[in-house]
């Protein structure tokens, strides 16, 4: 039986770290692709040379050629550029839309049965682009956002309370970052809602921090954006798929009526297994929660309409 084939497009900070973790955990054989010549080959060789030290048998190949990705089971797309000083949001959107479009066309041609996990920002809109360009069914195109937003939220709760991260379960919905909708009544420490464990102003502070979590790291790094936690979150999704774990992970998916949201990509709790998105979990929201989720979804919809208007797709 062969190992799962996982391609990672973009061998920059997020992509290379994703490949490192996938190999270290032996989730499959990995193909690392970048537009820059020789760089993915160099990183792949370096990762192969690390394998006897960490004892993994995953094969890591670096390439600039999509032929090497043929027949991938899962493809993680991280290619794109971060926003640079002086660059408008529109410039970023059009550049990354072009990159994700080109990449998806080539990935879909070589791996028509793959499951796509998008990481490139602006995330929810890039999932829309990949879904449209690939023509893949909605259960095979998703975005990594909720896994990262909830990981950030959980880490802040653990730090605040001085308890193990293993005790914490967070529940988030909505778009990535600013638009995240955390459901504090379902966010628990050893089964106890955080609302029982701290005053409302602390709960509110812990909710605000992951909303600006990406920006907080950009400010510290100065030359790039976060990559360890984003890569680990993408790996969590890949693992759920290749091991058919049926794990509930908040992910960006196409809503078609769920939570009253029509035809929009937004973060919802989904069950991930070997066929991709196997179910969207629907829970009853309060009016306030539902309103926040709809506001978040409307922001994504506006952005996708804006991309449509650019005439790139
Ligand atoms: N095809 C393949 N690779 C590409 C292409 C392309 N058309 N265009 C750019 N790339 C590659 C770049 O050469 C670079 O190696 O994508 C990589 C991006 O890496 P970084 O600049 O290090 O960015 P990273 O921190 O990995 O973030 C990537 O993930 O979290 C998001 O907001 C982040 O959108 C960004 C993406």
């Amino acid at each position: 039986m062969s190992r799962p084939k996982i391609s990672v497009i973009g061998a920059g900070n997020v992509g290379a770290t994703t490949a490192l973790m996938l190999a270290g955990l032996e989730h499959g054989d990995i193909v690392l692709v970048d537009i820059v010549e020789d760089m993915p080959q160099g990183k792949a060789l370096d990762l192969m040379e690390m394998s006897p030290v960490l004892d993994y048998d995953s094969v890591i190949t670096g390439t600039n050629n999509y032929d090497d990705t043929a027949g991938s089971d899962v493809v993680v797309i991280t290619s794109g550029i971060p926003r640079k000083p002086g660059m408008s949001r529109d410039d970023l959107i059009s550049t990354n839309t072009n990159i994700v479009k080109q990449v998806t066309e080539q990935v879909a041609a070589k791996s028509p049965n793959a499951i796509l996990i998008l990481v490139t920002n602006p995330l929810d809109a890039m999932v829309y682009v990949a879904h449209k360009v690939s023509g893949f069914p909605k259960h095979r195109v998703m975005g990594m956002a909720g896994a990262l937003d909830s990981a950030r939220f959980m880490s802040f709760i653990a730090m605040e309370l001085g308890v193990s991260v293993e005790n914490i379960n967070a529940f988030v919905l909505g778009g990535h970052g600013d638009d995240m909708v955390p459901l504090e009544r379902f966010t628990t420490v050893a089964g106890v809602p955080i609302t029982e464990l701290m005053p409302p102003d602390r709960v509110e502070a812990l909710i605000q921090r992951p909303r600006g979590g990406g920006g907080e790291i950009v400010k510290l790094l100065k030359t790039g954006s976060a990559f360890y936690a984003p890569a680990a979150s993408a790996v969590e999704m890949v693992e759920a798929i290749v091991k058919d774990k049926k794990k509930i992970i908040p992910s960006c998916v196409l809503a078609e009526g769920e939570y009253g949201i029509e035809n929009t990509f937004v973060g919802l709790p989904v069950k991930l297994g070997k066929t991709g998105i196997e179910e969207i979990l629907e829970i009853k929201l309060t009016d306030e929660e539902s309103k926040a989720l709809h506001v978040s979804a409307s922001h994504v919809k506006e952005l996708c309409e804006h991309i449509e208007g650019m005439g790139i797709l």
Side-chain angles (χ1 to χ4, degrees):
M1 214 173 23
S2 60
R3 283 189 280 260
K5 181 167 178 175
I6 306 160
S7 290
V8 180
I9 318 299
N13 279 337
V14 178
T17 310
T18 300
L20 165 77
M21 292 184 192
L22 288 172
L25 294 165
E26 287 190 319
H27 287 328
D29 289 336
I30 295 124
V31 181
L32 190 57
V33 184
D34 204 282
I35 200 165
V36 177
E37 275 183 31
D38 293 337
M39 183 270 272
Q41 290 85 338
K43 290 193 178 179
L45 182 59
D46 197 7
L47 287 168
M48 286 301 284
E49 290 167 359
M50 187 168 75
S51 62
V53 185
L54 295 189
D55 273 344
Y56 54 80
D57 287 312
S58 293
V59 177
I60 306 113
T61 311
T63 183
N64 309 109
N65 186 341
Y66 284 83
D67 287 349
D68 296 315
T69 67
S72 294
D73 298 293
V74 182
V75 180
V76 182
I77 300 179
T78 76
S79 47
I81 56 156
R83 190 159 157 185
K84 301 198 181 88
M87 192 179 213
S88 75
R89 195 171 154 80
D90 270 7
D91 291 341
L92 176 78
I93 291 167
S94 73
T95 304
N96 282 357
T97 298
N98 270 308
I99 292 173
V100 169
K101 177 179 179 248
Q102 271 174 32
V103 163
T104 305
E105 279 165 357
Q106 302 190 74
V107 162
K110 300 292 174 191
S111 302
N113 299 315
I115 293 169
L116 309 182
I117 301 175
L118 275 292
V119 179
T120 307
N121 277 314
L123 191 272
D124 306 273
M126 293 302 111
V127 187
Y128 165 78
V129 170
H131 178 254
K132 181 161 185 189
V133 171
S134 66
F136 284 7
K138 62 178 180 177
H139 67 276
R140 288 201 280 122
V141 188
M142 65 196 83
M144 188 291 294
L148 173 60
D149 291 327
S150 56
R152 284 183 171 146
F153 191 26
M154 289 190 280
S155 69
F156 300 143
I157 295 168
M159 287 186 239
E160 170 96 3
L161 294 175
V163 297
S164 167
V165 289
E166 289 178 33
N167 285 137
I168 307 194
N169 250 304
F171 199 109
V172 305
L173 303 172
H176 186 32
D178 298 355
D179 270 347
M180 162 189 139
V181 180
L183 302 189
E184 60 257 40
R185 66 197 170 105
F186 296 127
T187 297
T188 59
V189 179
V192 182
I194 53 167
T195 45
E196 306 275 318
L197 296 170
M198 56 181 93
D201 63 319
R202 288 313 305 158
V203 173
E204 187 51 31
L206 288 175
I207 285 173
Q208 286 307 331
R209 195 169 168 196
R211 285 208 175 111
E216 187 177 357
I217 301 230
V218 168
K219 217 166 145 195
L220 292 166
L221 295 183
K222 295 183 181 72
T223 54
S225 49
F227 53 99
Y228 294 119
S233 304
V235 170
E236 184 188 23
M237 294 173 73
V238 174
E239 183 189 25
I241 293 166
V242 297
K243 290 193 174 167
D244 194 24
K245 283 175 81 87
K246 320 283 187 199
K247 189 169 179 181
I248 313 294
I249 301 179
S251 308
C252 174
V253 296
L254 179 60
E256 288 184 309
E258 292 87 357
Y259 294 90
I261 298 167
E262 290 294 344
N263 205 21
T264 306
F265 282 90
V266 68
L268 297 176
V270 299
K271 188 197 281 180
L272 291 184
K274 68 174 184 304
T275 59
I277 296 158
E278 304 202 334
E279 190 184 337
I280 297 178
L281 270 79
E282 274 198 89
I283 53 156
K284 198 164 166 20
L285 299 181
T286 64
D287 288 348
E288 202 183 329
E289 289 161 350
S290 175
K291 203 171 146 213
L293 181 59
H294 279 257
V295 167
S296 184
S298 70
H299 289 162
V300 181
K301 207 173 180 110
E302 275 166 30
L303 194 52
C304 294
E305 282 164 5
H306 183 67
I307 288 173
E308 278 299 331
M310 287 176 159
I312 300 169
L313 298 182

